[in-house]
DNA sequence: AGTTGCATGTAACTTGTTACATGATTCA
DNA sequence: TGAATCATGTAACAAGTTACATGCAACT
């Protein structure tokens, strides 16, 4: 890994939008960031404790209507600075491991039919994802004017749409090429 | 992680192309698989020992011209079966973590200029990668007829080309949208 | 009364990287 | 002779997932 841990910045970032608990953060990541990010409870809760120890977040007062055992946090000024410093740093080289390409690289050990099956399954999954993210993108496009943040949400969905479409296009090209090879 | 370990299959796959040492495997991954895969020595050597213990690979006779301290391995028939069983299994859901989208999602904490800078840096890196993989793709396209395997190598390069191009297109759309927003 | 969801947290495990140790060979 | 590359391996660490433990609240 050696890539610096991002969980802390996800928490800081989400806390700039409002006070949240660990559970809230997990739900938001699942619901709104899932097409480009994931976090597990096993990462979130220890990271919260670390952030509190560093003074980057602190307990927030709860309104009386929320349950006793829920711990709400808010971001502090040093926390904001820490987040901004991270956001300004260049994006790290993401390590890429595409299993479909690995399997294709060793295609010599499979029959054409088996390879075609793998690509079709992969394509079907990308189509599902595209459908989801394209619906999300259309929704966000209509909300573009309601806040500056909505532009950013829209752009993340647009990226997903482009990338999934690129995979689907590649699947079609690959299937067509394999079909030509098979016939000759 | 929880995703099953792929290192073993990379080793088995490469050994179907010829007898290799751990060092050879590392070099091939770096030179030929680097646009979609990576492995470190810390994974390769223990995996080799495990594969040998399972009888999936075994020491190969060396030609007298290669050095004493180099350990060449060859794949066994059970090893071939193990590889094929893996290749036939559906491709696992890859976990996606795009840091550029994370940073963009929290764009509210940065100025337009800072966001634009991040996207331009990201775009420049994708353009570099595209250049590399597109050159590789053109080369492989001309070699398409020399073996069945070359079709697979070509398709992996083509996929990289499509995906990097999709990122670049998205960067341009994003920059144009951010420019419009800035002006109003 | 039982199931589902809310809520916090820990422990064991897996995967992966980095740095280090060691030494041979090749080439300028 | 010294640097770069070849070559194998280990140990410490970092990151991330999964399963588990615990208990409250809401609803059916």
């Amino acid at each position: 890994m050696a890539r610096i841990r991002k969980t802390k910045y996800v928490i800081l970032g989400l806390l700039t939008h409002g006070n949240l608990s660990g559970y809230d953060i997990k739900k938001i990541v699942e619901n709104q960031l899932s097409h480009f990010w994931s976090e597990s409870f096993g990462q979130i809760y220890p990271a919260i404790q670390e952030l509190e120890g560093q003074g980057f977040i602190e307990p927030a007062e709860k309104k009386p209507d929320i349950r006793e055992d829920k711990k709400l946090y808010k971001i502090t000024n040093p926390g904001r600075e820490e987040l901004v410093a991270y956001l300004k740093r260049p994006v790290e080289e993401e390590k890429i491991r595409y299993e479909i390409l690995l399997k294709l690289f060793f295609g010599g050990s499979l029959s054409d039919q088996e390879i075609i099956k793998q690509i079709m399954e992969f394509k079907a999954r990308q189509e599902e994802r595209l459908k989801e993210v394209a619906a999300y993108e259309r929704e966000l496009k209509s909300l573009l004017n309601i806040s500056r943040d909505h532009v950013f949400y829209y752009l993340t969905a647009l990226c997903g749409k482009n990338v999934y479409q690129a995979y689907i296009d590649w699947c079609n090209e690959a299937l067509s090429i394999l079909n030509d090879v098979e016939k000759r």
Side-chain angles (χ1 to χ4, degrees), chain A:
Chain A
M1 316 266 137
R3 298 140 71 232
I4 60 138
R5 192 164 148 197
K6 312 280 163 58
T7 308
K8 287 168 63 177
Y9 301 112
V10 175
I11 296 169
L12 290 175
L14 290 178
L15 288 180
T16 64
H17 296 169
N19 299 346
L20 299 167
S21 68
Y23 196 85
D24 293 335
I25 288 164
K26 173 78 165 105
K27 289 298 135 190
I28 293 176
V29 172
E30 265 173 25
N31 297 330
Q32 283 163 259
L33 281 68
S34 63
H35 64 281
F36 63 88
W37 208 262
S38 64
E39 294 289 349
S40 63
F41 283 125
Q43 288 171 274
I44 291 171
Y45 286 115
I48 284 177
Q49 284 164 28
E50 208 183 309
L51 284 167
E52 194 181 351
Q54 294 172 305
F56 294 144
I57 65 173
E58 59 185 26
E61 320 85 75
K62 287 176 291 192
K63 284 174 189 118
D65 56 319
I66 68 164
R67 44 189 285 188
E68 274 304 305
D69 60 348
K70 181 164 175 159
K71 295 188 183 176
L72 274 194
Y73 294 92
K74 70 174 176 190
I75 189 167
T76 61
N77 281 332
R80 258 172 244 277
E81 280 167 36
E82 179 75 4
L83 173 66
V84 169
Y86 161 72
L87 293 175
K88 283 185 184 175
R89 285 206 292 275
V91 172
E92 273 183 72
E93 200 79 37
E94 75 262 50
K95 73 158 226 181
I96 22 153
R97 278 187 123 180
Y98 297 109
E99 201 191 7
I100 182 75
L101 297 186
L102 184 67
K103 291 198 173 184
L104 201 56
F105 195 85
F106 300 128
S109 295
L110 290 181
S111 70
D112 285 343
Q113 281 65 37
E114 285 161 342
I115 293 163
I116 287 166
K117 193 180 158 220
Q118 283 287 11
I119 295 175
M120 282 173 66
E121 275 179 29
F122 180 75
K123 182 185 164 189
R125 195 183 309 156
Q126 305 308 311
E127 279 170 340
E128 241 175 83
R129 287 181 173 181
L130 176 65
K131 225 171 112 181
E132 278 170 30
V133 86
Y136 195 43
E137 180 254 349
R138 274 193 303 277
E139 192 197 325
L140 285 168
K141 195 170 192 170
S142 68
L143 303 172
L144 224 45
N145 291 309
I146 75 170
S147 84
R148 182 167 178 259
D149 277 341
H150 279 77
V151 176
F152 305 131
Y153 307 156
Y154 168 70
L155 288 177
T156 64
L158 187 63
C159 183
K161 197 181 115 177
N162 279 22
V163 172
Y164 294 140
Q165 188 60 59
Y167 278 122
I168 294 166
D169 293 344
W170 170 77
C171 288
N172 290 330
E173 290 177 71
L175 290 169
S176 146
I177 288 166
L178 290 172
N179 198 41
D180 289 351
V181 171
E182 219 185 354
K183 277 190 294 196
R184 72 178 188 211

